[in-house]
Amino acid sequence: MKHWFWIAIILGVAASAQAQSPAELLKQARDAYDKGEFAAAISAYQSLLQQGLESSELYYNLGNAEFKAGHIGRAIASYRRALKRSPEDEDIRANLDYVRSFVNQPRTGTGNPLVQLGNQVLTWFSGQTLAVLALIVYWALAFLAAWLVLSRGGIPAVRWVTAGVSLVFLFLAGWASLRIVLDRTRQWGVVVASRAEARNGPKADYQIGFVVPEGREVRVLGREGDWIAIGLPQEGYKGWIQSSEILMDE
Amino acid sequence: MEVFKPGMTSLRRIFFSGGCCLCLLAGNARAQDLMISAQAQPRQVMVGESIQLVITIEGRANLSSEPVLPDLQAFQVYGGGRSSNFSFINGQVSSSLQFTYILVPKHSGTFTIGPVAISHGGKTFSTEPIAIQVGSGSVPAPQAPSASQPQPAAPSVGKHAGEAVFITTSVDRHAVYVNEPLTLTFRFFSRLPVLAQPQYGPPATSGFWAEDLPPQRQYQTVINGQEYQVIEIKTALFPTTSGKLTIGEASLAVQVEDFNRRSFDPFADSFFRSFFSTGRQVTLRSEPISIQVKPVPLAGRPADFSGTVGKWSLSAKLDRREAKVGEAVTLEVRIFGEGNVKSVGKPLLPPMTGFKVYDTISSSEVQKQNGRVTGVKTYRTLIRPEISGHLTLPPLAYVYFDPVSEKFEKISVPGLTLKVLPGDTQAAAGGPAVAPAASAPEVQVMSKDIRYLKIKVPLALPQRPVKVVYWILGFGLPPLALLFLWWQQKRKDQLAADPRYARRLAAGRSAHRALQQAQQARKKRDAKAFYALLSQTLTGYAADLIGLSRSGVTQRELLQQLAARGIQADQLDSLAQLLDDCDYARFAPGQPEAGEMERQEKLAEGLLTHIRQVLERVPRT
């Protein structure tokens, strides 16, 4: 009888935890964050993600809680995921830049401000968003072309407008293609272990080639079982670390 | 049994005989910007025991020169290490250098370590002398075991048993973790007098970080009933990588008495024999040793593992309890214990809200006593409070791997509190002076932190990628539609340019429509309309296909044209008959029978089909 009582209690607690709505979990996370209970805030945000829900704001808040809990690597990974969903969000960029200042990481890209701006602009929108924009412009272009066919050439102004829309479409299509290609060929991740030992092969038997500090953003080059091949483009190093030591962009 | 024998080679002088005791004394010299001090510990030792002499030079200058040691003939001197610290506080450089020496007294008595001097800026600074008392009593093991103490166990000599001179190398363990120390022991065995200073070639220790473990020992031992003099040198080795590593062979070039001569002169006095002997040079070599080095286990490795191996403790302190906003404060984190001090990794500092954190500098101090390598690694970080109040630094934690327990150990220190008083405006700005506008107040940065949480957090299921079929439709439909539009337009243009062709194309449709109307008229029993439509259908269809005017063509002309295009005569007769019947029925009084009208309608359909089949074979004119 006593056993049944405890089983009922445990099931009741589990059911109540499962029954928490997303709104309740968000409130719980924010309250915990305000009290300085960052581990509890992280747990609540993770529960939402485990329910299959997500947004750039959720990843941003999770990044804040991770940073306050001292998990610099996990904070950077969360901000990167948030930025991927809302590349235009200035808050995410500000916090990401601030947290990156705690990591000894060489500056990416060249010092040329135009190149840096280009890199930034390239990541403003996701590949799919750009593709949808390109499709909308493409349909507009098709209607203009149909009008030109039906009107047997139309008026010069319409022809100029059609040419302009064509250029816009080509620009968007090129941008979307470049972004999609980069997304598929250049995957990045963040080291979340305090000191990830990169070995010369995907096994613990291989020698340690170099050691990567927590928070360092690395290129993901491949996977072999539980080992991830990483690259440090600035230094020109390549090595293998355990998959538990890295969080990849999603 | 060990006997003190003065006059032996330098390698053999460092041990033997009884001891006494001595003291620690410190002396220092202070100048305006330089201070040198010396410390010796312990002050009372036995002969053969070691004394640690530490020379510390501190000042506001960039120090680089080494101190000049006084005459230390009464001691065997070993270099123990050097550590340095540099710090920049309030724009001033402050440095300190520490030199550590190990002194092993050769004789008993009272000795003085003379002033240690250093030259700087044209001046010479020196320490006070330090008195050391060396006892002549029995020498404690392991430095020099006395007769009253147990003899060290005879080392294993293996295949060398019976040889007059030989060397061995051995390790205390053959399987270790990365960075776990192992002790390499080199021994030189001789039962012949050594005639000159032996030349020691240490083994190659590639893959290891080596630390010598002074002092070297000398003692006597008996192997297979024969008495040997033994010189023993120990080295601590720290493997830096995992896998199978090899300690190379050690070598010793030594000149010993040529014992062949001894066999021919059995009555010669051994002293004179030694004195006049030129001896012979032999080079001794030891066997290489394999070491299996295990990596630090991955299982159970915490995410914040520092990579350090050994047995360590942690302490942290601030150099002051109170500071003003903008003033520099030094956070000193010390990791001390046993292991490879130089490989101790940097502790991960947690985010320090309210502070600006500058670079961290480190220094290490290595101590070697009783065959163990211990020491302390100090990390000093300059921090600058940016807001006033009681600020608390978060607790510090450090995770290392203990190879003895084979577990990851976490050591931590609680948070440190600093009372921060308000500073002047410039300091509060937390950076270089910025000239404010003449009267307008400037924005003051009081603290720096991440931005707050997003209050509105919309949640949605992950955005799924758009299916490929939609992309194909989205991008494929417009060109197809445009193509169709273009084709329509082109066809329209073609029809407009060739009216006969247009009539020919439309002939079938208009004939079909007219026939349907005729059928309706028949059903309404409207004979006049029925025959009129039937006549128009036959005439119009044939005229459209041939290209004649519908209104102007006569029956005769039409029949001639059809005959010319291959319509069979019987069909022409039927057509002529049907057209005559239509005219008659339209204008004659009376109502024809329903069956007759239906028969004529079917006849018309048959004629139309025949005309279409024949004329479609005929090329257009």
Side-chain angles (χ1 to χ4, degrees):
Chain A
M1 191 66 190
K2 200 173 178 181
H3 291 302
W4 285 112
F5 172 76
W6 284 112
I7 289 170
I9 291 286
I10 291 165
L11 287 176
V13 170
S16 68
Q18 285 221 333
Q20 276 186 306
S21 69
E24 286 170 342
L25 279 169
L26 280 175
K27 185 176 182 312
Q28 183 183 319
R30 193 179 156 193
D31 290 345
Y33 185 91
D34 288 338
K35 289 178 192 167
E37 297 165 359
F38 304 117
I42 292 169
S43 174
Y45 288 133
Q46 292 284 11
S47 297
L48 287 166
L49 289 171
Q50 282 163 7
Q51 288 180 22
L53 300 169
E54 63 156 50
S55 67
S56 71
E57 290 84 356
L58 180 58
Y59 278 117
Y60 169 89
N61 287 0
L62 176 61
N64 275 18
E66 295 280 16
F67 174 68
K68 289 288 184 181
H71 309 150
I72 290 179
R74 290 181 182 280
I76 291 176
S78 295
Y79 287 139
R80 285 182 67 97
R81 289 173 180 181
L83 201 60
K84 197 168 181 182
R85 284 155 181 81
S86 294
E88 68 289 347
D89 192 316
E90 201 262 331
D91 286 340
I92 303 171
R93 286 191 184 278
N95 281 9
L96 181 56
D97 287 344
Y98 181 72
V99 177
R100 275 175 175 159
S101 69
F102 290 86
V103 181
N104 186 11
Q105 176 157 280
R107 284 271 168 203
T108 53
T110 62
N112 189 335
L114 280 177
V115 175
Q116 286 180 357
L117 181 68
N119 285 333
Q120 210 171 347
V121 167
L122 187 66
T123 55
W124 268 351
F125 300 106
S126 68
Q128 183 158 306
T129 306
L130 287 168
V132 170
L133 280 175
L135 184 63
I136 292 168
V137 175
Y138 181 73
W139 274 82
L141 185 63
F143 279 111
L144 282 169
W147 193 85
L148 286 177
V149 169
L150 290 174
S151 63
R152 300 177 191 285
I155 54 174
V158 177
R159 288 203 293 271
W160 279 110
V161 169
T162 307
V165 174
S166 301
L167 288 177
V168 172
F169 167 70
L170 287 176
F171 174 74
L172 284 172
W175 188 1
S177 306
L178 190 60
R179 185 70 212 269
I180 289 168
V181 168
L182 287 179
D183 281 351
R184 294 198 175 178
T185 56
R186 292 193 174 184
Q187 198 180 2
W188 288 78
V190 184
V191 172
V192 295
S194 65
R195 188 173 177 278
E197 292 173 344
R199 296 180 181 272
N200 295 333
K203 261 177 129 179
D205 296 340
Y206 285 99
Q207 286 193 339
I208 299 168
F210 54 95
V211 175
V212 193
E214 183 180 4
R216 179 69 196 269
E217 289 154 82
V218 297
R219 281 272 304 279
V220 176
L221 306 172
R223 186 183 188 113
E224 184 73 38
D226 285 340
W227 293 83
I228 304 285
I230 61 163
L232 306 182
Q234 282 81 23
E235 292 90 345
Y237 296 157
K238 284 184 180 179
W240 293 82
I241 65 172
Q242 289 219 300
S243 56
S244 60
E245 295 177 325
I246 187 171
L247 278 183
M248 286 185 277
D249 286 352
E250 286 178 358
Chain B
M1 191 171 91
E2 297 189 358
V3 182
F4 177 60
K5 294 183 178 177
M8 298 177 81
T9 56
S10 61
L11 272 171
R12 300 166 68 184
R13 281 186 198 143
I14 58 163
F15 52 93
F16 306 138
S17 82
C20 54
C21 27
L22 269 216
C23 65
L24 176 146
L25 197 67
N28 65 53
R30 183 180 285 278
Q32 199 169 15
D33 58 350
L34 193 77
M35 189 178 81
I36 181 168
S37 63
Q39 277 196 326
Q41 196 172 21
R43 297 177 297 176
Q44 297 174 329
V45 291
M46 301 291 190
V47 170
E49 285 185 336
S50 59
I51 302 160
Q52 190 180 47
L53 174 66
V54 179
I55 314 292
T56 306
I57 306 162
E58 292 176 290
R60 291 179 184 171
N62 191 4
L63 304 171
S64 57
S65 54
E66 290 199 13
V68 179
L69 292 181
D71 183 16
L72 295 169
Q73 281 190 343
F75 301 92
Q76 188 75 35
V77 182
Y78 301 92
R82 163 185 172 147
S83 65
S84 60
N85 290 320
F86 292 91
S87 59
F88 296 86
I89 298 174
N90 293 332
Q92 289 188 319
V93 63
S94 173
S95 62
S96 72
L97 273 173
Q98 217 169 49
F99 297 88
T100 307
Y101 302 91
I102 304 296
L103 308 183
V104 181
K106 299 173 185 172
H107 316 289
S108 62
T110 301
F111 303 102
T112 301
I113 300 174
V116 180
I118 186 169
S119 296
H120 179 72
K123 294 179 184 175
T124 301
F125 304 96
S126 57
T127 65
E128 295 293 325
I130 302 172
I132 302 288
Q133 287 183 342
V134 182
S136 58
S138 58
V139 180
Q143 278 79 5
S146 67
S148 62
Q149 289 185 315
Q151 190 81 344
S156 170
V157 295
K159 66 176 186 180
H160 298 293
E163 293 179 14
V165 286
F166 61 91
I167 60 171
T168 64
T169 51
S170 62
V171 290
D172 58 344
R173 64 191 92 173
H174 287 270
V176 290
Y177 283 101
V178 170
N179 257 326
E180 181 185 2
L182 62 94
T183 305
L184 171 69
T185 306
F186 166 86
R187 292 190 183 92
F188 168 46
F189 295 81
S190 174
R191 54 185 168 84
L192 296 176
V194 177
L195 301 180
Q197 176 83 28
Q199 298 298 315
Y200 172 52
T205 52
S206 175
F208 294 92
W209 176 268
E211 290 278 0
D212 59 321
L213 294 173
Q216 66 182 35
R217 295 176 57 206
Q218 185 162 354
Y219 54 88
Q220 287 182 319
T221 190
V222 176
I223 300 170
N224 294 338
Q226 291 186 305
E227 188 178 278
Y228 283 82
Q229 289 288 335
V230 183
I231 298 174
E232 188 177 278
I233 300 173
K234 291 196 173 189
T235 309
L237 296 179
F238 298 91
T240 56
T241 183
S242 59
K244 190 176 181 182
L245 301 181
T246 302
I247 300 170
E249 59 177 33
S251 67
L252 191 78
V254 60
Q255 195 171 20
V256 294
E257 184 183 352
D258 190 346
F259 39 78
N260 288 332
R261 280 174 50 191
R262 192 189 326 187
S263 61
F264 294 110
D265 193 8
F267 303 106
D269 180 273
S270 64
F271 173 76
F272 289 107
R273 191 173 65 235
S274 301
F275 189 80
F276 291 109
S277 171
T278 54
R280 69 183 183 100
Q281 183 82 18
V282 290
T283 301
L284 309 169
R285 297 187 189 283
S286 68
E287 297 289 328
I289 301 172
S290 290
I291 304 293
Q292 190 61 42
V293 183
K294 297 175 280 185
V296 174
L298 293 170
R301 182 186 293 192
D304 51 353
F305 172 52
S306 63
T308 305
V309 175
K311 185 76 178 171
W312 302 97
S313 301
L314 181 71
S315 72
K317 67 174 184 179
L318 296 170
D319 67 340
R320 62 182 81 178
R321 291 172 180 275
E322 194 175 293
K324 284 185 179 176
V325 169
E327 280 186 350
V329 178
T330 302
L331 167 64
E332 183 179 286
V333 181
R334 286 163 56 88
I335 301 157
F336 53 96
E338 185 176 353
N340 189 358
V341 178
K342 287 166 185 165
S343 74
V344 169
K346 184 179 169 183
L348 183 68
L349 295 180
M352 291 187 262
T353 308
F355 290 94
K356 187 171 178 63
V357 181
Y358 293 88
D359 287 344
T360 298
I361 57 172
S362 69
S363 64
S364 55
E365 185 181 320
V366 182
Q367 293 170 353
K368 303 159 186 174
Q369 284 182 331
N370 302 326
R372 295 165 59 210
V373 179
T374 60
V376 56
K377 188 137 188 183
T378 308
Y379 288 94
R380 292 185 180 87
T381 306
L382 199 65
I383 57 175
R384 194 191 292 272
E386 295 181 314
I387 51 175
S388 59
H390 283 84
L391 302 185
T392 301
L393 273 63
L396 276 174
Y398 194 76
V399 179
Y400 68 91
F401 179 70
D402 185 348
V404 178
S405 64
E406 297 189 315
K407 285 180 182 171
F408 291 93
E409 303 287 349
K410 187 167 192 171
I411 47 179
S412 59
V413 290
L416 301 170
T417 302
L418 179 71
K419 184 180 178 184
V420 183
L421 304 171
D424 53 33
T425 306
Q426 186 176 325
V434 178
S439 57
E442 63 179 7
V443 174
Q444 292 185 358
V445 179
M446 303 305 287
S447 71
K448 215 171 174 188
D449 198 359
I450 53 172
R451 298 185 183 181
Y452 189 64
L453 299 176
K454 299 266 184 191
I455 306 298
K456 288 183 181 172
V457 182
L459 295 169
L461 292 171
Q463 187 187 9
R464 280 184 294 185
V466 178
K467 287 183 180 172
V468 176
V469 64
Y470 295 134
W471 289 118
I472 292 172
L473 285 175
F475 281 98
L477 280 179
L480 289 177
L482 276 178
L483 207 62
F484 177 73
L485 209 61
W486 173 80
W487 176 77
Q488 281 281 75
Q489 203 71 358
K490 193 169 175 61
R491 185 177 169 81
K492 203 183 280 181
D493 291 348
Q494 192 180 9
L495 293 177
D498 188 354
R500 281 186 64 187
Y501 176 62
R503 277 183 68 196
R504 196 179 161 90
L505 282 179
R509 279 199 302 276
S510 63
H512 182 68
R513 262 199 313 274
L515 262 184
Q516 281 183 332
Q517 289 171 356
Q519 195 175 26
Q520 285 171 2
R522 175 175 61 79
K523 285 177 183 173
K524 290 178 185 172
R525 306 287 300 162
D526 185 355
K528 291 188 187 307
F530 170 75
Y531 284 112
L533 283 167
L534 208 60
S535 175
Q536 281 172 20
T537 303
L538 289 166
T539 311
Y541 182 65
D544 285 347
L545 290 182
I546 295 167
L548 300 173
S549 168
R550 275 180 171 237
S551 54
V553 67
T554 62
Q555 186 178 336
R556 174 185 292 275
E557 187 183 0
L558 185 68
L559 291 173
Q560 282 174 351
Q561 289 288 344
L562 288 172
R565 282 172 173 75
I567 300 293
Q568 294 170 357
D570 57 334
Q571 296 292 333
L572 286 175
D573 290 344
S574 296
L575 176 63
Q577 183 61 48
L578 184 58
L579 289 175
D580 289 340
D581 289 348
C582 286
D583 288 340
Y584 177 78
R586 284 166 64 188
F587 302 110
Q591 182 71 16
E593 291 180 4
E596 179 61 15
M597 287 167 73
E598 194 172 346
R599 187 192 65 80
Q600 287 170 327
E601 184 185 322
K602 288 195 184 322
L603 180 62
E605 282 177 7
L607 284 169
L608 287 173
T609 304
H610 180 74
I611 291 168
R612 177 172 61 83
Q613 287 171 347
V614 173
L615 292 191
E616 274 185 358
R617 290 199 299 268
V618 179
R620 284 192 293 158
T621 57

